Amino acid sequence: MDYRSWSLEEQVAQLFMLGYSGEKPNVITRRFLERGLGGLIFFRDNFDSLQPLNAPAIHELLAGLSAAVPAHLPRPLLGIDQEGGQVERLPHTVFPTALTPLAVAMAPQPEALARDMYGIMAAHLRQLGFTLDFFPTLDVNLNPKNPIIGVRSFGNNPETVWRLGKTALQEFEKAGVVTVGKHFPGHGNGTVDSHLDLPTLIFTEEELKPFQQAIDAGLPAMLVAHGYYPALQTTPEERALPSSASPAVIQGLLRERCGFEGVLITDDMCMGAITQHRSPVEAALASLRAGVDILLYKQSTEDEWAVYQATLEAFRSEDLPMSQLYQSLERITRLKARLSVQTPPPFNPMAFTPEACRMTADGIALRGIGLLSGERERLPINPDTALLLVHPDRRKLGNYAFDVPTSDELDAVIRQAGFSQISSIIYPTHCPFSASDLLQSVEFEPQAICMIGFNAWKQADQTELYTKLRNTFPKAPIILVSAGMPDSPDILPNPDLHLSLCSYRPASVRALAQILRHGLPALPAIAGAQACPPVSNLAGQGSSGPGGSQL
């Protein structure tokens, strides 16, 4: 690809990867595409608004957007955040994955599950027309109270993170989908969500290991975090910059020490870590000056167009050197050339029917439930048992609320599995609640209790509810199911059985119902704490970087 023959407008457009709201790209997105936009990133609302929602419509959308770029320029990268579980941009009705990375890591046979799940994920993405996935998450989740990583990581052990991350890389490479490792140089000890503000992070060699191993294995693209790393950014100039604009992080650590030669992409430049501290133009130019290849934005508005115009002017005036532009274009076009020689697989709409997706997803989800404590012989539960279900309000459950209009609630799923005597307590996770008030809705004396905890370390009311259940119904065994991070015995103590779900997608809920009814599969259980220890509520347990807030 002879990028030197392109106009400056076309060259600079390659440095941008944009999203947009709704089903159709807006005027600004179209304007960028006409200039040869480098890439598009897709989010949930791009697909939820498609009516009828089906895989052929998604395939047609991607093909049309790719064709909107002038024919003499390379096709745009078509990217998505499809991690599995908590971060899934494609609705479950047209995509068959449900497990978070942590659920995979805590499963009885994690490597075999990772190979199968990520092979399916990559093949389906490529069939739909996607060419890039912002995955795998290579962060080592050293702080179990991390507000941004958590179940998105393969755990707190660098070797586990790399072992499963490598499997994902291999499967995506087979399918012809570009992988983007994230969030360099490690977001695993954070206490502040970078979507909201700039976190101060502790750089550790342990967190660097999976990134270095991925680079050594040929990782094609990397996403750099928005953070401040005092151990790396030591000069007054560096201390005023996020890591995504830090020469010390990008040049000194990533390019020189780690030897990364692939494409470097910023995390979303619309995040609070950036917007709370710098203007869009100032932030973009600082990142490009530090050596970033692609600026990522979740939107395409007049602000992004102004950044594009300012970037053009910076190269025209040599405020940014043309040699740097050519270095980025060399890396970007090399990556796109790899994609251009690969023949996309034929699109098979039958692989994306709701029935086919459900069957695939259910098979994967059944393999993703781990035994944390207790005797597996406590399952199955007799279907005539008077069963009390205690679970979070999914409508207020962040990334899982999307599934509410197209899937059943837990009590309906449990009834479908064959249980006849069910009473439910639904508790909110977004506000305080009274455990005593909730218990008044119980319709009978339960013979067994299944409580789904969701990051109970964040909410003392969950602990109170659990304690009242134990005291009010002392004869009923409690099956605790951790749908977020594994709940610590310090917070939800002494369950009769503790299962790791680490996801609340519909397939995971259906898998739980099947296990309650039929028992755990005949596979060796694992010590879940090896993948990631339960969250403790002991004071000082969560790590906090200098200047960070202690949760």
Side-chain angles (χ1 to χ4, degrees), residues 202-235:
I202 302 171
F203 171 75
T204 69
E205 294 293 334
E206 289 294 289
E207 289 185 86
L208 187 64
K209 285 180 180 178
F211 293 100
Q212 183 65 70
Q213 289 167 307
I215 290 168
D216 294 341
L219 179 74
M222 186 79 81
L223 181 143
V224 60
H226 297 317
Y228 166 54
Y229 296 81
L232 300 172
Q233 300 172 253
T234 57
T235 67

Side-chain angles (χ1 to χ4, degrees), residues 61-121:
L61 170 69
L62 299 186
L65 290 171
S66 183
V69 166
H72 68 283
L73 296 172
R75 299 304 87 193
L77 296 167
L78 300 177
I80 193 168
D81 274 319
Q82 194 75 9
E83 300 175 7
Q86 181 173 304
V87 179
E88 282 201 321
R89 308 308 188 191
L90 291 163
H92 71 98
T93 52
V94 293
F95 205 80
T97 55
L99 302 183
T100 62
L102 186 58
V104 172
M106 301 187 78
Q109 295 181 319
E111 291 184 58
L113 179 57
R115 183 179 61 250
D116 294 344
M117 174 168 162
Y118 297 129
I120 291 169
M121 180 185 289

Side-chain angles (χ1 to χ4, degrees), residues 8-10 12-14 16-19 26-38 270 280-281 284-285 295 297 299-313 316:
L8 182 62
E9 288 78 6
E10 292 168 340
V12 171
Q14 291 290 309
F16 286 79
M17 191 170 194
L18 305 176
N26 59 36
V27 173
I28 303 297
T29 316
R30 291 288 183 187
R31 198 184 300 166
F32 268 104
L33 286 167
E34 291 167 2
R35 301 300 194 280
L37 179 63
C270 300
V281 168
L285 295 182
L295 299 167
Y297 296 88
Q299 62 190 25
S300 41
T301 68
E302 291 291 352
D303 283 345
E304 284 69 48
W305 188 252
V307 171
Y308 169 71
Q309 294 293 333
T311 305
L312 276 173
E313 181 55 35
R316 286 196 187 104

Side-chain angles (χ1 to χ4, degrees), residues 140-142 154-163 210 530-532:
V140 182
N141 198 53
L142 297 180
F154 289 112
N156 71 344
N157 184 315
E159 293 308 315
T160 299
V161 171
W162 167 237
R163 188 172 69 250
Q530 292 178 358
C532 190

Side-chain angles (χ1 to χ4, degrees), residues 313-445:
E313 181 55 35
F315 282 114
R316 286 196 187 104
S317 66
E318 298 187 358
D319 178 39
L320 291 174
M322 289 298 296
S323 60
Q324 184 171 323
L325 174 60
Y326 290 153
Q327 287 174 6
S328 289
L329 289 173
E330 183 67 33
R331 288 188 281 262
I332 293 167
T333 55
R334 185 168 63 235
L335 178 65
K336 291 185 174 184
R338 285 175 50 184
L339 290 171
S340 67
V341 299
Q342 297 171 337
T343 303
F347 176 62
N348 175 19
M350 296 307 296
F352 296 92
T353 65
E355 296 77 16
C357 287
R358 176 167 175 151
M359 182 178 298
T360 303
D362 285 355
I364 292 172
L366 273 171
R367 298 166 60 189
I369 297 181
L371 174 60
L372 295 176
S373 68
E375 299 175 356
R376 61 191 295 120
E377 289 74 19
R378 285 191 174 273
L379 295 176
I381 298 173
N382 188 302
D384 294 326
T385 299
L387 181 61
L388 174 60
L389 301 174
V390 183
H391 57 99
D393 184 351
R394 201 163 48 127
R395 296 169 301 174
K396 302 294 183 180
L397 214 57
N399 291 312
Y400 297 112
F402 291 111
D403 296 325
V404 170
T406 52
S407 61
D408 293 322
E409 284 295 345
L410 178 66
D411 54 354
V413 174
I414 297 293
R415 289 185 189 280
Q416 291 163 13
F419 292 91
S420 57
Q421 297 186 67
I422 294 173
S423 183
S424 288
I425 292 176
I426 301 176
Y427 65 87
T429 56
H430 63 290
C431 63
F433 63 85
S434 166
S436 297
D437 290 347
L438 290 179
L439 282 176
Q440 291 179 9
S441 65
V442 178
E443 300 168 356
F444 50 67
E445 182 83 13

Side-chain angles (χ1 to χ4, degrees), residues 2-3 47 75 95 100 153 161 238 252 274-275 277 327 338 352 410 431 477-478 496 499 506 508 539-540:
D2 184 14
Y3 55 81
F47 309 115
R75 299 304 87 193
F95 205 80
T100 62
S153 166
V161 171
E238 285 277 351
I274 299 300
T275 60
H277 301 276
Q327 287 174 6
R338 285 175 50 184
F352 296 92
L410 178 66
C431 63
I478 293 184
D496 295 275
L499 302 175
S508 292

